[in-house]
Amino acid sequence: MAKGLQGFLWSMLLLLCAIQELGSWAMHTAVEGPGLGEPGDPALLAGGRVKRGWVWNQFFVVEEYTGTEPLYVGKIHSDSDEGDGSIKYTISGEGAGTIFLIDEITGDIHATERLDREQKTFYTLRAQARDRQTDQLLEPESEFIIKVQDINDSEPRFLEGPYIGSVAELSPVGTSVMQVMASDADDPTYGSSARVVYSVLEGEQHFTVDSKTGVIRTAVADLDRETQDRYEVVIRATDMAGQLGGLSGSTTVTIVVTDVNDNPPRFPQKMYQFSIVETAPVGTAIGRVKAEDSDVGENTDMTYQVKDEEGVEMFKVTTDSNTQEAVITVQKPLDYESKKVHTVVVEALNKFVDPRFVDLGTFRDQTIVRVSVLDVDEPPEFRPPSNLMEVQEDAHVGSIVGVVTALDPDTANHPVRYAIDRSTDAERIFDIDAKTGAIVTGKVLDRETAGWHNITVLAMEADNHSQVSRASLRIRILDVNDNPPELATPYEAAVCEDAKPGQLIQTISVVDRDEPQSGHRFYFTLAPEATNNHHFSLLDIQDNTAAVHTQRVGFNRQEQDVYLLPILVVDSGPPALSSTGTLTIRVCGCDSNGAIQSCNSTAYVVSATLSPGALIALLVCILILVVLVLLILTLKRHHKSHLTSEDDEDMRDNVIKYNDEGGGEQDTEAYDMSALRSLYDFSEIKAGDGGGGPGEGGPGRNPASELHALPQWVQSPDLDFSVFRDYICRKVEQADEDLSVPPYDSFQTYAFEGSDSPVPSLSSINTWSSGSEQDFSYLGGWGPRFRQLAALYAGRRGDEDSEES
């Protein structure tokens, strides 16, 4: 068969070559090919030649040529070629000189290599015709194409494999599964080399394939996943439209049969047996059962339920979502003595049912589960489970509070012993009879101390104390009237001296530690010792309060400032109890509106409200304050003495203010000039001076006149100011040497302008001489404040005039 195919191919090849040769010959005679020169081209008409052109056909070369000689492709020819070999033909472009060779004289083109159309379908080249002698281009360069002629040398291939498809079980015939597609590298436009048809090689009993489209479909309607869930189908693709001699390729398609819910659940057993002890708590798992389902995935999801009434009451069935098992648990306490065996009907059903397969039967199944209850030695049980008892608080020690009863639930019915858990009754207020369970008082009860008691009673088997039951018991202590009523607080009231009769001064209430069932009822009256009281009256308001009113007109604090009113309070019993309380009433002074101003009861208040400890603390605080005051006074005295000792040495201790204008002529103490005189002894300076100016007396001069002339003092060359210079320099040196003292802001001097100042005195009073001609009459116009100064200098002027005269 292979030899016949090869012969067929060679015959076809020879036929094509013959056709090509005929075409080339026809074109050589008259046809002008593509890319011909234009008739008016100057380059072509230079020699006076007529229009010439290229002559060739489109070239074809058969792929996969296996001959030993180069394969003839075609011939290019110029109509100016006269066959004398004067024209040289050349080609350039794809494969020129390597794959394709040209005869320079004849223009014949041959292919020297084996070509493959699937790798390259055509080659583009350019042809030239030149004068062999001058190498001048005789024809314009023209492009031509060599096509590779296809042969059926490529088989169809399935490039998208491997293929995996799926189809639901029990699908009808013709159900589409999937589509496969083969690719053929041959030329689809030439012949039938690329026309592919499909067929089934293996698996045709269950599946078919469309020969043109490659769609795979079911061939039967009874595909059963539970029987076979996977099929391997071989699909073949053949080119040449399936004709003889075509090439083919195949692929394997895996088809998975998916599950549908076509199988009901089934219990592998019709009866299961489990056992559990009777003391198992509620919620304990008894066992697991599972219904089997041939389906997979969600089609096996199940729910379980209990079908019989007894089972529903005693047991509960749940579904384990992971294993799809039915978990049977205890829903109610079990009792071996009541029932030893329980029968439960458990039903399983699919959660998701496919309505297409309902006619196949019911999708549920049932099984019987027998649960055997095992007997265990149980502790005694309290019957009835009453947990409240009551007893009067005045019950005698040993009085019975109540009786607890417990029985052994086992068949043996062992005797029971009782006890009290002392961690709940550490004070041993109650006792219990170990055999009868009678609870009695062990101590005197007091409801006001503890109105409720919570104790735990133990019941255990007489011969096995490890079997213990516990019961919480609440004992309420009933109240009896054993506490007298008392005033709610130590009441204190105040009454004005000018109070009127019948005026309300205090409302009182009482408290009682008892809590009678019928509620409190209190009665108020004045105590027998207050029968002679004519100052106040007591009114019972009938709501467990009483009001105190005045009974006389006015009170006098000087005669009596405090009244003590005893009040008797009685409760309603039984038996009725009473107590006496005292109301303290103070007499106070009030204003016209009745507001209290003061009460003469300071000492009483202190003694009544302050405890001895508080009084001691108060005295200690006062003593500390006195000591602090004394210490401060001592420090101040010491500081003052220290300052006095340094007055003569430190200028800072004498801050002198000399720019004060004073308070006018009436103010004679606005400034004390003795401070200046104490600092500088001007009398010595004046004495050394020998007296004032001319016209003044010597040593016998009036002191008053010296003080009067002080404001007129000006610098004189005769005065010695070395004392000032020495003092200032000494203080400056001390300040410079002491680094701990901050520098002073300023240093004030008095009556000294400097020894070398070229500026005369700025004072209007600028001379010592008594012969000064300055007129001070203008001082009279300065106003009342300078009236005394004007009079002083006016008088001074008069004295000088008289002396001169």
Side-chain angles (χ1 to χ4, degrees), residues 382 386-391 395-405 418-422 424-425 428-443 445 453-458 471-477:
F382 286 93
S386 175
N387 62 348
L388 177 62
M389 293 183 180
E390 296 180 345
V391 60
H396 299 290
V397 175
S399 299
I400 296 179
V401 179
V403 179
V404 294
T405 303
Y418 303 93
I420 294 177
D421 185 352
R422 289 304 173 185
T424 61
D425 185 24
R428 295 183 174 271
I429 299 176
F430 301 97
D431 293 321
I432 190 170
D433 189 291
K435 294 184 178 180
T436 63
I439 298 175
V440 297
T441 58
K443 288 185 179 180
L445 305 176
H453 295 274
N454 297 320
I455 64 174
T456 300
V457 179
L458 308 178
S472 296
L473 186 63
R474 302 171 66 239
I475 301 176
R476 179 183 180 184
I477 309 302

Side-chain angles (χ1 to χ4, degrees), residues 587-620:
V587 180
C588 302
C590 303
D591 58 11
S592 58
N593 295 325
I596 296 175
Q597 298 294 323
S598 64
C599 301
N600 293 332
S601 56
T602 305
Y604 181 84
V605 171
V606 171
S607 63
T609 58
L610 293 180
S611 63
L615 289 174
I616 293 174
L618 183 60
L619 292 176
V620 170

Side-chain angles (χ1 to χ4, degrees), residues 321-332:
S321 59
N322 295 325
T323 63
Q324 296 300 314
E325 292 177 315
V327 182
I328 305 172
T329 56
V330 178
Q331 185 165 272
K332 236 178 137 181

Side-chain angles (χ1 to χ4, degrees), residues 481-486 511-514 522 569 571 576-579:
N481 193 27
D482 57 348
N483 292 280
E486 299 174 351
V511 293
D512 195 332
R513 297 176 62 191
D514 296 321
F522 302 110
V569 184
D571 63 16
L577 300 179
S578 64
S579 69

